Amino acid sequence: MLRTNVANDLVHRSLGTSAGAVGRLGDGQFLAGSTKITRGVLKVTKYVYDFTEGSRDMKDLLGGKGANLAEMTNLGLPVPPGFVITTEACKTYLESGDEPAEMRDEVSQHLAALEEAMGRRLGEADDPLLVSVRSGAKFSMPGMMETVLNIGLNDESVQGLAKQTGSERFAWDSYRRLIQMFGKTVLDIEGEHFEEAIEAAKKARGTKNDLDLDEQDLRGIVDTFKGIVRDQAGREFPTDPREQMDLAVRAVFDSWNAPRAILYRRQERIPADLGTAVNICSMVFGNLGMDSGTGVAFTRDPGSGQQGIYGDYLQNAQGEDVVAGIRNTLPLQDLEGIDKPAYDQLLAIMEKLENHYRDLCDIEFTIERNKLWMLQTRVGKRTAGAAFRIATQLVDQGLIDLDEALTRVTGDQLAQLMFPRFDDTTDVKQIGKGMNASPGAAVGKAVFDSYTAVKWSRSGEKVILVRRETNPDDLEGMIAAQGILTSRGGKTSHAAVVARGMGKTCVCGAEQLDVDTKKRRLTVGDIVVEEGDVLSIDGTSGAVYLGEVAVVPSPVVEYFEGSLDPDSADADELVKAVHRLMTHADEKRRMRVRANSDTPEDSERARRFGAEGIGLCRTEHMFLGDRRKHVERLILADGDKEREAALAALLPLQREDFLGIFEAMDGLPVTVRLLDPPLHEFLPDYTELSVRVAQAEARGEEHENELRLLQAVHRLHEQNPMLGLRGVRLGIVVPGLFAMQVRAIIEAAAERQKAGGNPIVEIMIPLVDAVQELELVREEAERICVEVCEREGVDVKHLIGTMIELPRAAITAGQIAEAADFFSFGTNDLTQTTWGFSRDDVEAAFFSAYLEKGIFGVSPFESIDVDGVGALVRIGAEGGRKTKPDLKLGVCGEHGGDPASVHFFHDVGLDYVSCSPFRVPVARLEAGRAVLVSDGSDSR
């Protein structure tokens, strides 16, 4: 913006006039219908652009379709003349309920220029200009918003169109298309009214094909359609061409907030405040006869990425005929035999566009009486495999460099390539569908409890663990199973989180399945699946199948596992492309990538997948199974002696756990989190125990231990255990608990070090709220470290830090950093405590409503809430480094493997992210991409 005295001089210079010729601009005055002086400030707001005025870089203003039509126009390609009404006009309309005052005049000016260029006037009787009115947002939203063709036709101009084209049938068919599209789109008339009228006309003619209807049939349909408009809309069909166009423009604006558009934006995470542009383009017709047609072309195969000629063509048709599937299309190659000059011109344009955009292009075109017209181009959507192949092909062609190639692929695409897939060419019987909680394809016999899953697995059976929902007790069964299926829960339920961590296929919340664990079966309608019956579950789509479905393995996982050499003859083009881009991502990225792992086996796999350490080793998982009895002894301990005995029994077991992990991660950092969950999670269920005690009393049996357990469960009961006695609070209140764990960690590290290894130890204290808590635990931990090292004769290097997972910890991070060697942001609990959500409850209770109403576009447990939780991460990082500039910062929540979240953590300045082993390659790729995006690189 400019002050008035500067603005006057600027305006005159831009117009080639003098101040004396135009006069001084004052408040409230307009220039060229798009420039206004307000409080002495020049505000330029241009609402309409000719195709010749735009470019592909103006997508924010002109939308993707308009920007690309302008780009093709400027390239000298055959584009029908037209103009674009901007997204700013749409936003003003949606905010105020009316178009900007200046817009109508600008539209009139551009329409007049279009009429002059075409030598015709909109809707004139003798030689009418017809236009299309199409939506076009910044991001492609195919079919979500409105289009109206043949604007300008009425009872007079239809005669002129017949004369102009030499075809009465064509003219009346175009007129009925206008009334039908206008009625549905602008007047909100149900489409079935029009469709029934067409069916009645075809029935009267004795045909099922629209093309068999003649001129008289179509005249009758037009009259019928006008009656439908009169009856359903309460008004006559507008015959004024400008009124048709203006109403169509409003309908396109309104369609931005149509339910299907809103739903699509939420699904694709497209911001709701962008608005849509409106493209007004002179009509060209592919339905003038067999020398005309319409088609879609791709410069490469969007399915595989292979170069070649891909697309469809339909003679004597308009674009919607191809989409509606009214007639079978021809392969694009057949156009060569139909109209070779147009075919050759199209191939030359395809090559020009791909070289210009330096990417796969999706093209829509029409041929009108042997003349080719380009109606749209855009960078084409593609499969995950095609994305990697095309990116490296374009590098080899010299069109882009490796940096840009890396920005052309995503972590989500890589994840799709890593999971096995069902062979959808086989016959399958789908019996249900749930949430696609963890991708992949799994086949096995249905089992209904963890014990059976482990038992059958050990005997060589592949099993699917079926539960209403899972809990920590099911961990062994989840590990043993090929996949997990639950009838309750969502993407952040226990089953989903653990399954993703293990790279295990999981379908959650398949509500149509009635799971009866007591009878050991599930039912769907009249279908009964007994224990031992085979199920197949698709974690990518959420589908559940009865019986075995063939699985296609992923060579990309074989590459990451190290069993497939990317340079070998066995490696296909996709694996080679993934290898090239992963190598480049590793070279570019600043952040390290670690894994969340609790076992030596997971740690070994994580290392093969490229993990550079362990960012979260959860010790609570080590207390389950056969070790539960020792935890129960600890909880029931009556005095120091019993408690110390229970801890002594746990010590060697913990030491062996850590030793195996240190061996698997030798030379890389391992962050061990001390016990976090409340103790009641290691005890039996209260109701189950009560029944056992009552039954024992009734039979006169000994039940002292069960009674003591019942009393302990009652004593440890909390109204909100996730905010109760857990984490660092346990270490302070339960004497010796954290001390035992620290001793086991340091003893294991000392043993590994004496064996010639290089353990890098990081001890992490969970749920710290105040620096005093960390100081108390740290003092005891350091004393134990000194004691063990002196006894073993080694110097175990170690760091002691904390998780930042509570709002207070983030806000007081500067104080906490005084006692910490590192911070790791626990974004799962930080999300819960910032939002006031209980993750185990809220998703099923109201998340679907929140997503539907747009309160958030994606679950904050899936992708970091940048404005809320993210702000606390930033505060914590800045506060910690203000105290200690070299403080190591990482994240170990589920967000560490989410592509969008990885970019945020890079921007905040974290040193590493940590995620499940299976998501390590995704995080590596996104950490490399984050550097390029932050540096301002763009994939277009």
Side-chain angles (χ1 to χ4, degrees):
M1 294 191 182
L2 304 168
R3 300 308 301 177
T4 304
N5 57 342
V6 181
N8 276 281
D9 183 53
L10 175 66
V11 168
H12 296 314
R13 277 187 284 147
S14 68
L15 293 176
T17 63
S18 67
V22 176
R24 187 169 183 80
L25 295 171
D27 272 2
Q29 286 188 275
F30 290 91
L31 175 67
S34 57
T35 309
K36 185 177 182 180
I37 303 298
T38 305
R39 297 190 189 93
V41 176
L42 176 68
K43 183 179 181 181
V44 179
T45 309
K46 181 176 169 66
Y47 290 113
V48 185
Y49 286 74
D50 189 87
F51 289 167
T52 60
E53 298 178 291
S55 74
R56 65 174 175 171
D57 298 323
M58 298 173 68
K59 290 181 181 177
D60 285 327
L61 193 62
L62 305 184
K65 185 176 295 181
N68 287 322
L69 283 169
E71 190 76 10
M72 288 196 294
T73 299
N74 294 328
L75 286 172
L77 302 183
V79 176
F83 54 90
V84 186
I85 302 174
T86 67
T87 57
E88 287 299 316
C90 177
K91 287 188 275 190
T92 299
Y93 171 82
L94 294 175
E95 290 168 4
S96 67
D98 201 2
E99 300 102 334
E102 308 94 323
M103 188 187 100
R104 183 174 179 84
D105 288 341
E106 290 187 57
V107 170
S108 296
Q109 293 169 17
H110 282 79
L111 178 59
L114 177 61
E115 290 173 331
E116 183 177 352
M118 299 296 293
R120 301 171 184 166
R121 291 183 59 79
L122 180 67
E124 70 179 354
D126 294 333
D127 191 15
L129 169 67
L130 304 183
V131 298
S132 62
V133 176
R134 300 175 185 266
S135 62
K138 177 181 179 180
F139 299 106
S140 177
M141 297 172 57
M144 296 301 108
M145 293 183 292
E146 303 297 1
T147 291
V148 183
L149 304 180
N150 305 329
I151 292 285
L153 280 175
N154 54 32
D155 291 348
E156 289 75 36
S157 60
V158 69
Q159 304 293 344
L161 182 63
K163 180 180 177 182
Q164 185 186 102
T165 60
S167 172
E168 292 274 352
R169 185 195 183 283
F170 163 77
W172 287 97
D173 186 43
S174 298
Y175 195 9
R176 74 88 186 164
R177 287 174 187 262
L178 168 62
I179 300 173
Q180 183 173 0
M181 296 181 78
F182 194 95
K184 290 168 60 178
T185 298
V186 181
L187 302 178
D188 292 323
I189 299 171
E190 289 292 332
E192 62 186 24
H193 295 293
F194 300 108
E195 291 154 13
E196 288 170 0
I198 293 175
E199 289 302 316
K202 288 194 290 187
K203 186 175 181 181
R205 170 62 66 178
T207 183
K208 294 183 179 181
N209 192 334
D210 290 6
L211 295 178
D212 291 332
L213 298 175
D214 63 17
E215 171 208 337
Q216 291 303 317
D217 296 324
L218 291 167
R219 283 176 181 266
I221 289 174
V222 165
D223 287 338
T224 302
F225 279 10
K226 287 179 181 178
I228 291 171
V229 169
R230 189 182 309 113
D231 294 341
Q232 298 298 319
R235 62 158 294 171
E236 297 292 336
F237 174 76
T239 58
D240 179 77
R242 181 60 191 268
E243 183 185 7
Q244 291 176 6
M245 189 176 79
D246 290 343
L247 289 174
V249 169
R250 282 186 166 233
V252 172
F253 283 162
D254 286 331
S255 71
W256 175 256
N257 283 330
R260 65 186 181 188
I262 292 172
L263 181 62
Y264 185 86
R265 288 199 300 272
R266 288 178 188 152
Q267 180 71 22
E268 299 298 316
R269 304 185 192 180
I270 297 172
D273 60 353
L274 297 179
T276 180
V278 181
N279 302 278
I280 297 176
C281 187
S282 51
M283 286 292 302
V284 290
F285 299 99
N287 55 337
L288 280 171
M290 298 308 285
D291 59 354
S292 303
T294 188
V296 176
F298 298 92
T299 57
R300 296 170 193 249
D301 184 349
S304 68
Q306 296 302 314
Q307 292 177 272
I309 301 169
Y310 300 92
D312 299 300
Y313 182 68
L314 191 56
Q315 286 180 278
N316 194 21
Q318 284 193 307
E320 68 266 25
D321 296 334
V322 178
V323 177
I326 296 171
R327 288 181 281 151
N328 292 329
T329 59
L330 302 172
L332 185 60
Q333 293 90 330
D334 288 5
L335 178 59
E336 182 176 19
I338 298 169
D339 189 341
K340 189 171 188 335
Y343 176 76
D344 291 341
Q345 184 184 9
L346 177 63
L347 293 191
I349 289 174
M350 290 169 63
E351 182 178 5
K352 183 171 186 176
L353 285 173
E354 179 167 280
N355 289 336
H356 183 71
Y357 281 86
R358 300 176 300 127
D359 208 342
L360 160 70
C361 288
D362 173 357
I363 297 164
E364 295 179 18
F365 66 94
T366 282
I367 296 174
E368 181 182 282
R369 290 182 171 166
N370 304 119
K371 179 170 176 55
L372 175 67
W373 293 97
M374 306 303 295
L375 302 184
Q376 179 170 309
T377 190
R378 59 191 168 205
V379 171
K381 296 184 183 297
R382 67 212 67 188
T383 64
F388 277 83
R389 291 189 188 97
I390 291 171
T392 52
Q393 288 168 2
L394 294 173
V395 171
D396 293 338
Q397 290 176 240
L399 291 174
I400 62 175
D401 59 20
L402 272 172
D403 279 1
E404 186 158 1
L406 188 54
T407 68
R408 299 279 185 94
V409 297
T410 69
D412 287 330
Q413 290 169 332
L414 179 62
Q416 291 177 37
L417 298 177
M418 291 177 64
F419 289 101
R421 302 178 303 278
F422 284 128
D423 185 354
D424 57 10
T425 62
T426 58
D427 291 332
V428 295
K429 183 173 184 179
Q430 184 172 341
I431 61 171
K433 187 176 179 65
M435 293 186 184
N436 50 337
S438 183
V443 180
K445 293 182 177 180
V447 296
F448 293 87
D449 63 65
S450 181
Y451 173 80
T452 307
V454 173
K455 180 180 178 182
W456 287 23
S457 176
R458 286 176 178 169
S459 64
E461 297 280 7
K462 292 184 177 181
V463 300
I464 301 292
L465 178 62
V466 183
R467 305 285 288 164
R468 288 195 183 95
E469 67 275 317
T470 64
N471 59 55
D473 281 344
D474 293 318
L475 184 64
E476 285 187 291
M478 295 172 75
I479 293 171
Q482 299 298 304
I484 301 104
L485 170 63
T486 71
S487 59
R488 299 176 184 167
K491 288 187 176 181
T492 57
S493 64
H494 175 268
V497 172
V498 174
R500 281 197 296 271
M502 296 187 295
K504 192 81 66 174
T505 299
C506 179
V507 173
C508 289
E511 296 177 351
Q512 60 271 61
L513 307 183
D514 183 7
V515 176
D516 189 333
T517 55
K518 291 185 178 179
K519 293 183 179 179
R520 313 183 81 77
R521 69 185 184 191
L522 70 84
T523 56
V524 188
D526 57 356
I527 298 173
V528 179
V529 178
E530 303 283 359
E531 188 160 73
D533 291 345
V534 174
L535 289 174
S536 299
I537 62 172
D538 188 339
T540 303
S541 68
V544 181
Y545 301 101
L546 182 63
E548 182 172 355
V549 179
V551 170
V552 180
S554 168
V556 173
V557 170
E558 294 176 337
Y559 155 66
F560 284 125
E561 288 275 16
S563 59
L564 178 59
D565 184 350
D567 297 322
S568 70
D570 293 333
D572 63 13
E573 183 186 3
L574 175 60
V575 170
K576 293 178 187 294
V578 169
H579 172 66
R580 284 180 71 181
L581 293 176
M582 289 301 300
T583 301
H584 193 62
D586 288 337
E587 292 170 352
K588 299 298 292 189
R589 62 187 169 90
R590 175 189 60 77
M591 284 196 305
R592 302 297 90 192
V593 177
R594 301 190 190 182
N596 301 338
S597 173
D598 314 327
T599 67
E601 294 77 21
D602 274 355
S603 301
E604 290 170 358
R605 187 181 202 195
R607 189 162 191 162
R608 291 195 300 271
F609 275 31
E612 296 156 305
I614 292 176
L616 176 62
C617 174
R618 305 176 183 89
T619 55
E620 57 267 21
H621 288 167
M622 302 171 181
F623 288 169
L624 300 175
D626 294 339
R627 302 180 188 184
R628 182 184 291 275
K629 60 186 178 185
H630 299 302
V631 182
E632 291 179 357
R633 286 175 56 201
L634 173 65
I635 295 170
L636 298 177
D638 185 11
D640 294 345
K641 187 174 181 180
E642 288 187 12
R643 183 177 61 254
E644 289 170 2
L647 290 170
L650 284 168
L651 176 63
L653 301 175
Q654 284 265 272
R655 184 169 56 237
E656 286 302 308
D657 292 329
F658 299 134
L659 182 60
I661 293 173
F662 288 145
E663 289 175 351
M665 281 287 168
D666 194 59
L668 296 174
V670 175
T671 305
V672 181
R673 182 179 73 184
L674 303 186
L675 195 65
D676 183 39
L679 290 177
H680 79 86
E681 288 197 5
F682 301 99
L683 295 176
D685 177 72
Y686 181 81
T687 302
E688 178 187 334
L689 265 177
S690 298
V691 171
R692 280 162 50 186
V693 168
Q695 290 176 338
E697 286 179 346
R699 292 193 293 265
E701 297 172 351
E702 174 61 38
H703 59 280
E704 180 181 351
N705 191 62
E706 283 80 4
L707 187 59
R708 292 181 68 196
L709 280 173
L710 183 62
Q711 292 168 343
V713 171
H714 183 74
R715 172 170 48 85
L716 293 172
H717 173 74
E718 295 175 298
Q719 293 296 330
N720 192 342
M722 297 311 293
L723 296 179
L725 182 58
R726 54 170 288 219
V728 68
R729 303 157 193 172
L730 277 174
I732 293 172
V733 172
V734 181
L737 177 59
F738 276 13
M740 179 275 294
Q741 290 196 291
V742 171
R743 187 178 300 278
I745 293 167
I746 300 301
E747 287 181 353
E751 183 176 340
R752 178 64 190 155
Q753 196 164 315
K754 288 196 290 185
N758 180 26
I760 301 177
V761 179
E762 298 179 354
I763 299 171
M764 184 158 67
I765 317 301
L767 213 73
V768 165
D769 242 334
V771 66
Q772 293 87 348
E773 294 171 317
L774 182 57
E775 288 171 341
L776 282 172
V777 175
R778 178 169 191 135
E779 182 180 358
E780 182 180 38
E782 293 287 17
R783 177 182 56 76
I784 293 169
C785 289
V786 170
E787 175 191 321
V788 172
C789 289
E790 288 180 350
R791 186 187 71 219
E792 299 296 329
V794 295
D795 181 16
V796 175
K797 301 296 183 184
H798 63 277
L799 301 177
I800 297 177
T802 184
M803 293 185 79
I804 302 295
E805 51 190 332
L806 297 171
R808 189 183 192 279
I811 293 168
T812 63
Q815 299 174 25
I816 295 174
E818 295 174 0
D821 299 323
F822 66 89
F823 285 169
S824 181
F825 289 92
T827 52
N828 294 345
D829 274 354
L830 190 57
T831 298
Q832 291 196 93
T833 53
T834 300
W835 280 88
F837 287 161
S838 168
R839 186 174 62 183
D840 295 331
D841 301 319
V842 296
E843 188 166 58
F846 60 81
F847 262 34
S848 59
Y850 268 43
L851 289 164
E852 182 180 336
K853 296 180 184 300
I855 295 174
F856 40 65
V858 63
S859 165
F861 292 111
E862 290 184 42
S863 193
I864 193 79
D865 159 32
V866 173
D867 296 331
V869 179
L872 288 173
V873 171
R874 193 179 296 276
I875 289 169
E878 292 174 352
R881 284 200 168 140
K882 186 174 181 180
T883 299
K884 288 184 178 177
D886 59 348
L887 185 71
K888 184 184 292 187
L889 301 176
V891 61
C892 60
E894 277 285 294
H895 300 98
D898 169 65
S901 303
V902 170
H903 286 249
F904 170 76
F905 297 135
H906 170 87
D907 292 339
V908 169
L910 302 194
D911 296 304
Y912 68 87
V913 296
S914 188
C915 56
S916 65
F918 205 75
R919 299 182 88 180
V920 164
V922 172
R924 287 168 51 201
L925 183 76
E926 289 295 348
R929 294 182 73 244
V931 172
L932 298 173
V933 171
S934 295
D935 287 347
S937 298
D938 192 355
S939 61
R940 297 291 176 265

